[in-house]
Amino acid sequence: MTETEDDATEAAYQKALRALQTTISGKTRAAPKGPADLSWEDQFERLRLYLDRLGMTEDVDALRAIHVAGTKGKGSTCAFAEHIMRECGVKTGLYTSPHLVDVRERFRIDGKPVSKKTFTREFWWLFNACRSKCADLGGPPAYFRFLTLLGFRIFAQEKVECAILEVGLGGRLDATNLVRSPTVCGVTSLGLDHVEVLGDTLAKIAAEKAGIFKPRVPAFTSPQIAEAMEALQKRADELGVVLQTAPPLRSYARGASSPDSADEIELGLAGAHQKQNAALAVRLVREWAFRERPKWGPAAESLLAAGELPETFRSGLAKTEWWGRAQVVPDPESESDEENADADATEGGSDDAKTSGSAKDASGSASASLVWYLDGAHTEESMAQCAEWFCDATTEGRKESSLDAAATAATQTGDDAEEGPSPAERDGSANAAASPASPASPATPLTPEPPPPVRVLLFNCMEERDPRTLLAPLAKTLRDRRAPLTHPALFAPAESSSKGLKPDTAASEDLAWQNKMVRVWDDLARKHPGASLLSVAPPDGGEPGGGGGADGPRDAPGDSVPEPEPETSASSARAAAGVAAAAVPSLRQAVEKIRSVASEQRRLKTGRRVHVLVAGSLYLVGDMLRVLGRA
């Protein structure tokens, strides 16, 4: 394609995005309804009229779909299923929401977002058809419903062999539920979320999720607590649906008798909870193949029935990527700084410098001094899982070093090493002294434990969520895992929102919501000593809390927020006072503050890396990917 053609395609694409913007009403499903507003049920039923008038009903009915609902993990489950299918040679269409950076992410053909040319062509077909054939229905439906219809249109035109559909919200009245005869349905782990719409109990929420069940369509679920499982089973019984719990991943592992045997199966997504999502994906793909009878199906079924995972399944699970979920991104600016420093040192002939920056950390990212840990967790349960992943990822390297030291000490001291744990294991201190070397063996220098990292939290959540519900699991996990924050947590507004497609990069003048989250974190840091190494003055003026832990001195160099800009003086003053959190007017200002901390660590040659957990909102995570140049 020539440069002129590229420009024309981009201009047409931007024009389509401007038209798509007009479908965003700004109303939430929980908003009070005016006299002219339709109920959620009526709006869903009206979508069937759209399909009929647009001539799309047959295309939607013909989709050989895997339909997945759930509170958490449904996107990851869909990603696992899609990667397995592609490894098996199936042409896939994957529909998910929300997008992180570009709306085309919602529509993936064989793993890739649709091209701008394809999106633009199909967008205008649907948009214009809605205006001409459905004018009395209000023209194009609201944003998510319109995009779902667009996904159906794209998948039909691309002739996908398997459509993998992630429910947007709930299930029963979700636009994806226009699919009347999917091949198989799945429900991931359930929890309390969107209670203002779906109901305030697990049973009510589960009943909404079970709304995707269809007569004569098999359904599978991840393990659920009793209240949720009973509601799912009730709906399944009403429809005569066979509902089964997906077997654990370890049942397909070689040497499956061990509880840890699932570790033998490599997953592309980090976190222990992903084993459950992968297990459901395997069962859904197996059932799809059993019912649709592709050429590779019988051989795969034979292996799976014998408790063996086909190599194509293994490869698909290992290759799965899902941006914004347990994603590790080295900071590009810190990498550049280190490469320049390495080049300068190498010219001087330093052997140490020649290897600097080449090692891999526990997460597999390059040894950048600043690493971002991105996870769009936005429910209580997913925040707990996210916290465990972050703690494991940022302590694993130090644990391995401690184990190396202990093994070396055992070699040096013989049976004496069995009398108790090594000093590093016993008290968590860095660079613990080695035991005396045994006269019978030469002294071997211990591998020094790396210095403790600087841990930072960058957080935001939507205002309809309770920040305490999301932050409490994080505080508890940081405390329990002895992996405290060593820098004030930063709370900054996201640049993207449900109100529009164009990010707003301007600094916010209203930080009331961010300051509320600051107060919540301050309170949690007091209630969970060890979650933060920064002192927090209690409301009654008593002794400060929040200190303690095993990760190093409380006032380590470079742990304070850099000098404030005028509009952030209050936040920086809080940080300078040693409190546990600060509000920042913009995401980009927060990023620059954190980069300054990493730069200071490099200048002082402390050897400490800066690890930043970015969580609470997929909008925030998508914005971070854009800021980091991963868009």
Side-chain angles (χ1 to χ4, degrees):
M1 187 178 290
T2 66
E3 184 174 345
T4 301
E5 290 173 326
D6 284 342
D7 291 343
T9 298
E10 180 63 27
Y13 177 62
Q14 293 301 324
K15 183 178 180 181
L17 292 184
R18 289 192 293 273
L20 178 61
Q21 177 74 37
T22 65
T23 68
I24 301 176
S25 67
K27 296 180 180 179
T28 65
R29 291 188 178 98
K33 304 298 180 186
D37 290 337
L38 296 174
S39 67
W40 195 7
E41 288 83 355
D42 290 340
Q43 291 178 60
F44 176 76
E45 289 303 322
R46 178 168 282 195
L47 279 177
R48 297 202 182 278
L49 290 177
Y50 278 90
L51 286 184
D52 289 342
R53 294 190 188 182
L54 296 170
M56 294 177 59
T57 299
E58 288 187 9
D59 287 339
V60 173
D61 287 344
L63 290 175
R64 300 188 291 174
I66 295 175
H67 198 190
V68 182
T71 302
K72 55 186 184 289
K74 60 183 185 290
S76 298
T77 298
C78 288
F80 278 127
E82 188 244 14
H83 278 74
I84 293 172
M85 286 288 196
R86 285 166 50 203
E87 287 297 302
C88 292
V90 177
K91 183 174 184 178
T92 58
L94 175 63
Y95 178 69
T96 60
S97 61
H99 61 272
L100 294 178
V101 177
D102 190 313
V103 69
R104 294 176 298 122
E105 297 167 27
R106 296 173 182 245
F107 322 99
R108 295 178 183 266
I109 305 297
D110 284 339
K112 297 180 180 179
V114 295
S115 68
K116 292 181 178 179
K117 185 175 182 180
T118 296
F119 177 92
T120 302
R121 181 184 66 244
E122 303 305 339
F123 171 86
W124 286 116
W125 179 91
L126 180 62
F127 191 82
N128 291 330
C130 285
R131 289 198 297 184
S132 62
K133 298 179 180 180
C134 306
D136 61 319
L137 302 179
Y143 181 68
F144 179 77
R145 298 184 182 94
F146 180 86
L147 290 178
T148 304
L149 296 182
L150 181 58
F152 293 151
R153 167 70 182 182
I154 290 172
F155 293 166
Q157 294 301 300
E158 294 293 323
K159 295 180 171 56
V160 301
E161 296 173 281
C162 175
I164 303 167
L165 308 175
E166 178 196 8
V167 167
L169 175 61
R172 180 174 64 93
L173 300 175
D174 187 76
T176 61
N177 209 28
L178 290 171
V179 175
R180 294 185 290 194
S181 300
T183 302
V184 62
C185 295
V187 179
T188 64
S189 184
L190 298 179
L192 293 174
D193 193 25
H194 298 293
V195 294
E196 72 285 355
V197 176
L198 302 179
D200 56 2
T201 67
L202 264 181
K204 292 178 181 177
I205 290 172
E208 289 294 328
K209 306 292 184 181
I212 68 169
F213 294 169
K214 306 294 190 303
R216 298 178 298 281
V217 175
F220 297 88
T221 178
S222 295
Q224 309 286 356
I225 67 170
E227 181 183 0
M229 192 65 197
E230 289 171 4
L232 293 178
Q233 190 63 60
K234 179 182 178 182
R235 182 55 180 161
D237 291 343
E238 291 171 352
L239 296 172
V241 169
V242 177
L243 174 64
Q244 301 178 52
T245 300
L249 198 60
R250 67 174 180 271
S251 64
Y252 303 106
R254 301 175 179 119
S257 58
S258 168
D260 297 326
S261 58
D263 294 337
E264 180 264 329
I265 299 174
E266 182 183 354
L267 301 182
L269 302 183
H273 60 286
Q274 293 295 356
K275 296 175 186 177
Q276 193 174 95
N277 298 329
L280 180 58
V282 166
R283 192 62 188 88
L284 293 173
V285 173
R286 177 183 179 182
E287 188 65 24
W288 186 92
F290 180 78
R291 289 168 60 88
E292 297 295 346
R293 302 294 182 183
K295 290 182 179 179
W296 52 269
E301 176 58 30
S302 179
L303 289 171
L304 290 163
E308 177 66 24
L309 201 60
E311 288 304 319
T312 48
F313 283 51
R314 287 177 175 271
S315 179
L317 293 175
K319 292 180 180 180
T320 299
E321 295 179 331
W322 198 229
W323 278 26
R325 285 78 167 179
Q327 183 178 2
V328 182
V329 181
D331 188 79
E333 292 197 7
S334 68
E335 284 187 306
S336 298
D337 291 345
E338 287 154 15
E339 288 170 1
N340 293 335
D342 290 345
D344 293 342
T346 302
E347 287 176 5
S350 167
D351 289 336
D352 291 339
K354 292 176 183 178
T355 60
S356 175
S358 64
K360 297 286 183 180
D361 66 12
S363 67
S365 64
S367 57
S369 62
L370 173 58
V371 183
W372 304 89
Y373 293 78
L374 311 180
D375 196 288
H378 54 274
T379 68
E380 182 177 6
E381 295 86 353
S382 60
M383 276 299 298
Q385 295 167 344
C386 168
E388 292 173 359
W389 162 67
F390 178 65
C391 290
D392 288 346
T394 59
T395 58
E396 189 172 339
R398 302 188 76 220
K399 289 177 183 176
E400 290 176 353
S401 180
S402 296
L403 291 174
D404 289 343
T408 305
T411 301
Q412 293 173 340
T413 62
D415 293 339
D416 290 343
E418 298 178 4
E419 294 179 3
S422 69
E425 290 173 311
R426 183 169 58 249
D427 61 19
S429 62
N431 303 316
S435 301
S438 167
S441 61
T444 303
L446 299 182
T447 302
E449 185 172 337
V454 178
R455 291 191 189 86
V456 190
L457 170 66
L458 177 54
F459 187 91
N460 188 60
C461 66
M462 298 176 69
E463 293 191 27
E464 57 261 34
R465 300 189 184 278
D466 177 12
R468 183 175 298 274
T469 298
L470 301 184
L471 290 169
L474 175 62
K476 293 175 184 176
T477 304
L478 291 171
R479 177 199 64 192
D480 294 345
R481 296 293 184 96
R482 297 169 65 93
L485 299 185
T486 53
H487 180 282
L490 300 181
F491 295 87
E495 296 177 350
S496 302
S497 73
S498 60
K499 298 178 181 178
L501 293 172
K502 187 175 182 180
D504 181 4
T505 60
S508 174
E509 297 181 0
D510 181 7
L511 293 181
W513 178 244
Q514 283 67 41
N515 282 318
K516 177 180 179 178
M517 291 186 285
V518 164
R519 293 191 296 272
V520 168
W521 183 253
D522 282 350
D523 183 57
L524 289 170
R526 280 192 297 271
K527 292 180 177 178
H528 301 284
S532 171
L533 291 188
L534 296 149
S535 61
V536 182
D540 59 4
E543 291 298 318
D551 265 355
R554 186 165 66 98
D555 297 319
D559 274 359
S560 60
V561 172
E563 288 299 314
E565 293 93 355
E567 68 271 20
T568 63
S569 58
S571 297
S572 295
R574 288 174 55 79
V579 294
V584 184
S586 77
L587 173 61
R588 292 169 194 259
Q589 287 185 31
V591 170
E592 289 310 309
K593 288 178 182 297
I594 293 169
R595 282 175 171 164
S596 295
V597 173
S599 178
E600 183 72 357
Q601 296 295 329
R602 292 195 298 273
R603 185 184 70 80
L604 295 173
K605 299 182 179 179
T606 65
R608 300 180 71 190
R609 293 189 190 181
V610 179
H611 294 306
V612 189
L613 175 61
V614 183
S617 163
L618 283 167
Y619 289 117
L620 181 69
V621 167
D623 292 335
M624 272 303 307
L625 288 170
R626 188 181 294 107
V627 170
L628 296 173
R630 294 299 183 99

